[in-house]
């Protein structure tokens, strides 16, 4: 099974990350050993358990001083963000600084595929919005017992930001109308269309409506305040309206 599309080298990409696995140069060889020891590139030895929170809190004593899981994740985030040219892996908007603004995203969700919670190829950096909106959507269906990470050809319906090329799957354009930046996304493939309908269109609408220059900004804020004080069913209904709206906008702009 080939993990990466032709022309890309899995070991070279892993080595490029390991060379920057800690902010302090002297600790990098030790950080690299820790990540290899943690089966970061190979889930076969891993239990099917979500170790994310645990890893953050773990500390390792090395000849160059203490290394913490939080430091390792911070270096990983920097590396992934650099690979993505400081853009969100899904919506391509510029990433803001700070861990909260650029969460590490699990492509296969932690709940459905806990074995890949801490797996190099399952991680990307998204914006807070995409991370939140993607939250409840379902990952590609693989057996929970799957132990080696699937290759790009195995993802037959889900867009994978580390294994697939964004431009091949999604057409992205932005128009500026009355000072409001309106991002537009259209799927070119099954993967791209799924990504759009699952959350990218909703993200685009949210960006448009929540732009402070939007005429609707005040209205949307009122609606959102209303939603938080009401039930989940109301949220689902409002979200359905949001998605229908953005789909109409995208169709009008690209059709
Ligand atoms: Zn995003």
């Amino acid at each position: 099974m080939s993990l990466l599309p032709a022309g890309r080298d899995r070991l070279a990409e892993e080595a490029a990350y390991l060379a920057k696995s800690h902010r302090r140069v002297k600790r990098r060889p030790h950080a690299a050993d820790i990540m290899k020891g943690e089966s970061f590139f190979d889930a076969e030895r891993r239990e099917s358990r979500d170790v994310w929170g645990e890893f953050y809190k773990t500390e390792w004593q090395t000849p160059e001083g203490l290394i913490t899981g939080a430091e390792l994740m911070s270096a990983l985030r920097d590396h992934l963000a650099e690979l993505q040219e400081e853009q969100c892996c899904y919506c391509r908007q510029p990433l803001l600084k700070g861990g909260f603004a650029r969460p590490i995203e699990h492509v296969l969700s932690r709940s459905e595929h806990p074995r890949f919670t801490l797996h190099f190829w399952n991680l990307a950096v998204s914006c807070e919005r995409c991370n939140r909106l993607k939250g409840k959507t379902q990952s590609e269906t693989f057996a929970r017992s799957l132990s080696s990470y699937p290759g790009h050809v195995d993802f037959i319906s889900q867009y994978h930001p580390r294994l697939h090329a964004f431009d091949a799957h999604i057409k992205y354009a932005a128009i500026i109308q009355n000072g409001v930046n309106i991002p537009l996304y259209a799927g070119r493939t099954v993967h791209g269309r799924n990504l759009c309908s699952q959350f990218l269109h909703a993200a685009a609408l949210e960006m448009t409506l929540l732009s402070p220059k939007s005429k609707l900004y005040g209205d949307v804020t009122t609606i959102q305040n209303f939603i938080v004080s009401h039930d989940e069913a109301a949220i689902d209904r409002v979200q359905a309206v949001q998605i229908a709206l953005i789909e109409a906008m995208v169709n009008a702009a690209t059709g």
Side-chain angles (χ1 to χ4, degrees):
M1 181 200 302
S2 153
L3 180 71
L4 289 176
R8 284 176 60 193
D9 181 337
R10 172 180 172 156
L11 292 178
E13 292 193 29
E14 293 176 356
Y17 153 70
L18 286 176
K20 291 184 285 181
S21 53
H22 197 283
R23 289 222 170 101
R24 296 207 197 171
V25 176
K26 282 189 173 176
R27 293 187 188 177
R28 285 177 185 168
H30 305 293
D33 286 344
I34 291 168
M35 294 314 255
K36 286 182 202 160
E38 288 291 321
S39 302
F40 189 51
F41 306 102
D42 172 12
E44 277 183 48
R45 284 187 291 134
R46 254 197 191 288
E47 303 167 54
S48 188
R49 188 165 68 83
D50 180 357
V51 293
W52 195 241
E54 208 174 290
F55 184 84
Y56 260 86
K57 291 187 212 137
T58 307
E59 298 178 339
W60 293 265
Q61 193 57 253
T62 77
E64 292 295 338
L66 197 70
I67 292 182
T68 69
E71 288 167 354
L72 294 169
M73 286 296 109
S74 172
L76 173 68
R77 177 185 287 114
D78 286 350
H79 174 72
L80 293 172
E82 195 185 321
L83 269 184
Q84 297 167 206
E85 298 174 329
E86 306 295 331
Q87 294 169 339
C88 168
C89 65
Y90 294 120
C91 70
R92 287 298 169 106
Q93 301 299 312
L95 288 167
L96 304 172
K97 293 287 172 201
F100 178 72
R102 28 173 226 165
I104 296 180
E105 147 69 11
H106 291 81
V107 182
L108 290 175
S109 74
R110 286 160 60 185
S111 55
E112 290 168 59
H113 296 283
R115 200 189 293 271
F116 302 127
T117 297
L118 192 67
H119 193 283
F120 182 63
W121 293 103
N122 196 41
L123 306 173
V125 179
S126 74
C127 67
E128 180 280 328
R129 176 182 290 116
C130 288
N131 189 258
R132 166 168 47 82
L133 292 174
K134 176 175 177 272
K136 285 181 184 168
T137 64
Q138 224 196 339
S139 302
E140 181 94 37
T141 310
F142 294 114
R144 201 180 158 101
S145 56
L146 187 73
S147 61
S148 62
Y149 200 75
H152 70 106
V153 289
D154 301 313
F155 285 84
I156 53 171
S157 64
Q158 181 181 1
Y159 168 70
H160 194 302
R162 296 288 304 285
L163 305 180
H164 297 146
F166 183 87
D167 292 339
H169 294 277
I170 297 116
K171 182 178 167 71
Y172 165 51
I175 52 171
I176 295 179
Q177 185 75 38
N178 299 331
V180 179
N181 188 16
I182 304 175
L184 300 166
Y185 301 92
R188 295 180 196 268
T189 60
V190 170
H191 306 71
R193 285 191 285 277
N194 284 340
L195 184 71
C196 285
S197 62
Q198 281 182 327
F199 68 91
L200 211 44
H201 285 170
L205 184 70
E206 192 177 297
M207 279 181 247
T208 306
L209 298 184
L210 293 184
S211 152
K213 284 187 180 167
S214 165
K215 282 183 201 149
L216 294 166
Y217 182 66
D219 298 339
V220 173
T221 310
T222 308
I223 293 171
Q224 296 228 321
N225 289 339
F226 169 82
I227 295 172
V228 260
S229 57
H230 288 71
D231 62 314
E232 279 207 30
I235 297 176
D236 289 346
R237 285 197 295 277
V238 173
Q239 203 167 44
V241 173
Q242 285 184 330
I243 291 168
L245 254 174
I246 194 70
E247 281 175 350
M249 280 169 57
V250 170
N251 287 340
T254 57

